[in-house]
Structure formats: C-alpha cells, structure tokens
Amino acid sequence: MRAKQLNLAIGTIAISLLIGITPVSANEIPTIDFCANKATGVVRPITEGACKKGELSLGAVAISRSRHRPKALVPQFKARYEAAKVAAKKKGYTLAITSGYRTLEQQKILYKRAVARHGSAAAASKWVLPPAKSNHPWGLALDINYGVGGTKGKKAAAWLEKNGYKYGLCRRYENEWWHFEPLVAPGQPCPVMEPYAS
Ligand SMILES: [Zn+2]
C-alpha cells in the first residue's frame, strides 16, 4: 500500500516535471490583480477587465524583496501609495512621504545616529533598523507624515492605518504610527502589528 502511494507520488512529480509545472498547493493559488483609479483612488479587481489608461495596477500579492536591490521605491508599492493618497484627499486627509527609499549608506548613517542616541544596538533597532535589515533600502517602506502636519498629519496617517489594506498597505509596528509596508494583497486584512522593529 505504502509502496503504491509512493509510486503514485513519484508519478505525479514526474508528470509535473515532464510538462513543466510544479505541484501547487491550495494556498499558493495565484490571486488576481487590482486596478486603482488615478483620479478617485477607487480600487477594483482585474476580473472586471485589465487596468486601463488612468488606472494604476496594484498587484495581486504582498510585495516582497526583489532579487536585486532597487534604486528607488518599488513602482507597484508607489502606485499603491498614490492610489491611497488620492482616496485620502477625497476624505480630507493629506498624506505625504517624509522618508521612502534610502540608500544603504543613508540607512547606515541613520542607524549610527540612532545607536548613539539610544545607547545600544538593540535599543536603536526598535526605531531604526541596521542597513541589512531595514526595508527602506529595499524600496519597500514608507514613512508617512512623520514630523509634518502636526495632529492633522497624524490623523491622516491613522486614516491610512485603517484604510491602507484596500491598497495592500499596512502599518507594521506599534511604536511607529508613520511606517507602512506593502504587507498584503489589496483588500486582504493586515497582519497583527509587531510591537517594534528588531
Ligand atoms: Zn520607516
């Protein structure tokens, strides 16, 4: 019986290799892309038709690190932010990027400064991650309204915290109300926040 199952499994893998596909488990089934209207920020699934002129493609999944370090914000992450910004504006909230893509060199300087200020690498990392760990040099982190707009700026970031998931944007850390990453597919709920970076 066991030998038969094994043969069956080997057979399935062999056939998959033969026709050039790998077996896909249920949670790996690709999800669909979403398009956002540039003028209104309204998001719709691509099942209603491909993204048109005047729309931004937001992607179908969480955006993760690419194989090579980018030199700017990852374009689809930027598109998500732009769509959310337009939608926020319609509700009377102003979103502004106060820090986005950083070079490794810039991150190094910020980290060194944080270590000096907080007294240790562990304490500093709760606020500024070392270059190798931070998602800012990967073009996958945005600081929104940090140090600008006062209470209004903070309220606008709170709007993004509540509505960002529609665009695949999530606040990541409990101690940083300003820091957002493309952690989910558009429309999926954001993961539980981490207390702080480490
Ligand atoms: Zn940040």
Side-chain angles (χ1 to χ4, degrees):
M1 194 64 179
R2 267 190 195 158
K4 199 177 170 189
Q5 279 176 342
L6 188 67
N7 278 339
L8 212 66
I10 291 169
T12 309
I13 292 165
I15 290 166
S16 300
L17 288 174
L18 213 65
I19 56 173
I21 56 158
T22 44
V24 174
S25 70
N27 56 7
E28 282 177 274
I29 290 171
T31 47
I32 48 161
D33 197 356
F34 289 83
C35 312
N37 187 296
K38 279 187 193 176
T40 63
V42 172
V43 178
R44 67 171 182 82
I46 205 170
T47 43
E48 294 168 6
C51 298
K52 293 175 279 197
K53 205 178 155 195
E55 285 184 321
L56 296 163
S57 160
L58 304 185
V61 292
I63 306 174
S64 44
R65 295 178 180 186
S66 52
R67 287 174 66 194
H68 305 286
R69 285 195 178 271
K71 288 189 163 63
L73 271 190
V74 170
Q76 211 154 43
F77 177 33
K78 184 138 191 272
R80 291 181 181 196
Y81 168 71
E82 294 296 342
K85 186 183 167 184
V86 169
K89 196 80 202 165
K90 296 256 162 206
K91 299 281 179 191
Y93 298 105
T94 305
L95 301 179
I97 298 173
T98 48
S99 185
Y101 170 78
R102 297 171 192 155
T103 63
L104 285 171
E105 196 52 39
Q106 286 169 330
Q107 187 71 26
K108 205 166 145 186
I109 293 166
L110 290 175
Y111 179 65
K112 266 190 173 176
R113 234 184 257 165
V115 172
R117 193 161 137 205
H118 296 281
S120 74
S125 294
K126 290 181 180 178
W127 301 98
V128 183
L129 281 171
K133 278 191 167 180
S134 173
N135 269 332
H136 281 282
W138 281 106
L140 290 174
L142 280 175
D143 294 344
I144 303 298
N145 292 3
Y146 180 69
V148 298
T151 315
K152 266 190 172 179
K154 208 169 166 182
K155 270 191 184 160
W159 179 92
L160 186 61
E161 181 185 330
K162 197 173 163 207
N163 295 280
Y165 76 95
K166 296 171 193 167
Y167 308 89
L169 303 173
C170 302
R171 175 178 161 187
R172 183 158 177 185
Y173 305 115
E174 280 171 15
N175 69 332
E176 295 190 350
W177 56 261
W178 55 86
H179 180 102
F180 291 84
E181 295 189 21
L183 299 179
V184 295
Q188 292 299 306
C190 286
V192 173
M193 262 189 261
E194 296 161 54
Y196 43 76
S198 59

